[in-house]
C-alpha cells in the first residue's frame, strides 16, 4: 500500500499476472502430457508390437490434441465475449465435428486391424493422468495462494 492507501499494483496489472500464471500452468500441463505420452509410446514401442504401440500413440494423440483444442476454443470464446447462444452452437458444432473425425479415423484404423482397444483406452487416459501429475507436482502453497479468491 502507498501512503494514501491505494494499492501499488493496479487491477489491470493483477489480471495480467493472473493470465501469465494461467498460461504458465497450461504450458506445464502440456509438457507433462507430452512427457507422459512420449515415455509411454517409447516404452510400448520397445517392448510391444506395432498394434499396441499404434493404439497407444493414436489414443494419446487424440487426448493431447483435444486438450490443446479445448484451451484454444475456450480462450476464443472468452476473449471474443461470445453470447451464450453462439457459444453453445460453436461448442456443439465443434464437439460433433471432432467426434466425427475421431470416429472416422478409429473406424478406418480398426478396419485395417491396427487398433487394440485396451491400448487405445490407455492412450486416451494420458490427458487425465497428465492433469493429475501436474496438480500433484505443483507446490501446494503457491497453488493455494494463486487460487485463494475461489474459496
Amino acid at each position: 500500500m502507498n501512503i494514501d492507501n491505494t494499492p501499488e499494483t493496479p487491477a489491470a496489472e493483477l489480471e495480467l499476472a493472473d493470465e501469465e500464471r494461467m498460461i504458465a500452468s497450461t504450458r506445464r500441463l502440456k509438457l507433462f502430457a507430452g512427457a507422459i505420452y512420449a515415455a509411454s509410446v517409447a516404452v510400448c514401442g520397445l517392448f510391444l508390437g506395432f498394434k499396441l504401440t499404434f493404439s497407444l500413440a493414436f489414443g494419446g494423440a487424440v487426448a493431447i490434441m483435444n486438450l490443446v483444442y479445448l484451451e484454444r476454443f475456450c480462450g476464443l470464446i472468452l476473449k471474443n465475449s461470445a453470447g451464450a447462444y453462439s457459444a453453445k452452437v460453436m461448442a456443439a458444432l465443434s464437439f460433433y465435428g471432432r467426434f466425427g473425425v475421431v470416429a472416422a479415423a478409429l473406424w478406418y484404423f480398426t478396419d485395417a486391424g491396427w487398433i487394440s482397444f485396451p491400448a487405445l483406452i490407455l492412450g486416451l487416459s494420458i490427458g487425465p493422468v497428465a492433469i493429475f501429475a501436474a496438480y500433484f507436482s505443483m507446490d501446494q502453497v503457491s497453488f493455494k495462494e494463486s487460487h485463494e479468491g475461489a474459496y
Side-chain angles (χ1 to χ4, degrees):
M1 292 288 200
N2 288 337
I3 297 173
D4 60 349
N5 290 334
T6 59
E8 293 178 5
T9 308
E13 289 182 20
L14 287 174
E15 288 177 13
L16 183 61
D18 286 342
E19 184 176 341
E20 289 172 359
R21 195 171 23 243
M22 185 178 74
I23 290 170
S25 295
T26 305
R27 185 175 298 126
R28 182 185 310 174
L29 177 62
K30 287 182 206 175
L31 287 174
F32 268 115
I36 291 171
Y37 174 67
S40 60
V41 170
V43 168
C44 190
L46 287 174
F47 299 110
L48 302 173
F50 172 78
K51 186 175 181 177
L52 293 174
T53 303
F54 181 80
S55 298
L56 183 80
F58 180 72
V62 168
I64 290 173
M65 286 189 301
N66 275 324
L67 183 65
V68 170
Y69 177 78
L70 180 64
E71 174 199 3
R72 290 184 180 168
F73 182 74
C74 288
L76 176 72
I77 287 179
L78 294 174
K79 284 182 183 177
N80 292 335
S81 300
Y85 179 75
S86 62
K88 284 181 186 179
V89 169
M90 287 172 47
L93 290 175
S94 168
F95 172 77
Y96 290 121
R98 286 182 296 130
F99 183 80
V101 168
V102 170
L106 185 59
W107 178 69
Y108 175 79
F109 292 138
T110 301
D111 195 43
W114 293 357
I115 295 292
S116 166
F117 284 99
L120 177 72
I121 292 170
L122 184 63
L124 288 169
S125 301
I126 287 174
V129 167
I131 291 170
F132 287 124
Y135 172 76
F136 287 117
S137 72
M138 291 176 80
D139 177 22
Q140 295 301 312
V141 174
S142 66
F143 180 79
K144 184 177 178 186
E145 288 173 358
S146 67
H147 294 86
E148 278 194 4
Y151 300 111

